[in-house]
Amino acid sequence: GEERLWNFYLRLGADALLVRSAGMLQQLLSLGGEGADVNGVTVPELHGDFSLNAANSIAFKLLLGSGLKRLAPTHDLSGGQLVALGEELERAGVRGKMEVVVHQHLPVFHTEHCVYARFLSDGDSYRDCGHPCETNTVHLRDAAGKDHLVLADAGCRNTVFNAQAQSAAPLLEKLFNAGVRHFRLEVVDEPAWVVPELLERYRDLAEGQGEA
């Protein structure tokens, strides 16, 4: 029942869609790609995520050439390899197309078992659980006392996100000098007031101001 999720995403009217699978990319391109009219809805910019596993300039050129506006490299690359990839893309004339995730709470566990339905409902599935995931927040606390957020997706699967955000702050200036111009910060359940300060901090680091 997930084959037509693209239809739901398009109806959201977003400025851009973050494409996380080759199947979704193929579907959106078959509809005409960015700018195409699909039943009165325009396909927005398409940005490729890390899960497309682009690890070198060859993969970047192939995926960007298919119709992606920007592309995040695979998480398998080290800091040094990210800088080297940025420099390689710069030499190849592919400037400003790489988007590096520099702040994120890594997903540490993924399951089809729904914690929300199990502990906050008497139901067995989305048909009778009452959708407690839409009105409640669940964290799992580890032995060290850290609270890891649990989020449910559209398919009722649960993902546990690490309480401690992973940061590439020490690499920002090097990435900027390597030609990278797009950086992504991913937050999960941080208070809204934290976000502007977080963005300003990373911007300053990218411009060589302050210390990581």
Side-chain angles (χ1 to χ4, degrees), residues 138-168:
V138 170
H139 289 79
L140 296 180
R141 181 168 296 167
D142 64 19
K146 294 183 178 180
D147 291 335
H148 306 278
L149 177 68
V150 183
L151 286 182
D153 65 17
C156 296
R157 296 167 293 245
N158 285 189
T159 301
V160 181
F161 291 88
N162 198 319
Q164 180 65 46
Q166 178 173 287
S167 174

Side-chain angles (χ1 to χ4, degrees), residues 30-199:
S30 70
L31 294 170
E34 180 185 343
D37 183 277
V38 182
N39 300 324
V41 179
T42 302
V43 178
E45 287 185 3
L46 304 178
H47 297 182
D49 208 2
F50 72 91
S51 48
L52 292 177
N53 290 322
N56 53 49
S57 60
I58 297 174
F60 259 78
K61 289 180 181 179
L62 177 65
L63 289 166
L64 290 170
S66 72
L68 293 175
K69 197 79 171 183
R70 296 206 297 262
L71 178 60
T74 175
H75 284 342
D76 295 332
L77 299 182
S78 67
Q81 289 171 327
L82 284 174
V83 173
L85 178 57
E87 295 171 342
E88 187 176 351
L89 292 173
E90 185 83 353
R91 288 193 295 270
V94 188
R95 183 180 178 84
K97 297 293 186 179
M98 183 164 81
E99 179 177 276
V100 178
V101 184
V102 294
H103 182 97
Q104 64 178 328
H105 293 265
L106 286 172
V108 295
F109 187 72
H110 187 68
T111 176
E112 292 192 9
H113 172 72
C114 183
V115 176
Y116 287 84
R118 172 65 180 83
F119 293 102
L120 299 177
S121 168
D122 294 325
D124 296 320
S125 71
Y126 71 93
R127 296 183 179 88
D128 58 6
C129 71
H131 302 170
C133 60
E134 297 177 0
T135 55
N136 295 274
T137 301
V138 170
H139 289 79
L140 296 180
R141 181 168 296 167
D142 64 19
K146 294 183 178 180
D147 291 335
H148 306 278
L149 177 68
V150 183
L151 286 182
D153 65 17
C156 296
R157 296 167 293 245
N158 285 189
T159 301
V160 181
F161 291 88
N162 198 319
Q164 180 65 46
Q166 178 173 287
S167 174
L171 287 173
L172 272 173
E173 188 175 1
K174 290 182 178 179
L175 288 168
F176 192 81
N177 292 335
V180 180
R181 291 297 180 269
H182 297 286
F183 303 97
R184 190 197 314 166
L185 278 66
E186 296 183 351
V187 295
V188 286
D189 61 345
E190 287 90 338
W193 61 267
V194 170
V195 179
E197 182 180 345
L198 196 63
L199 291 172

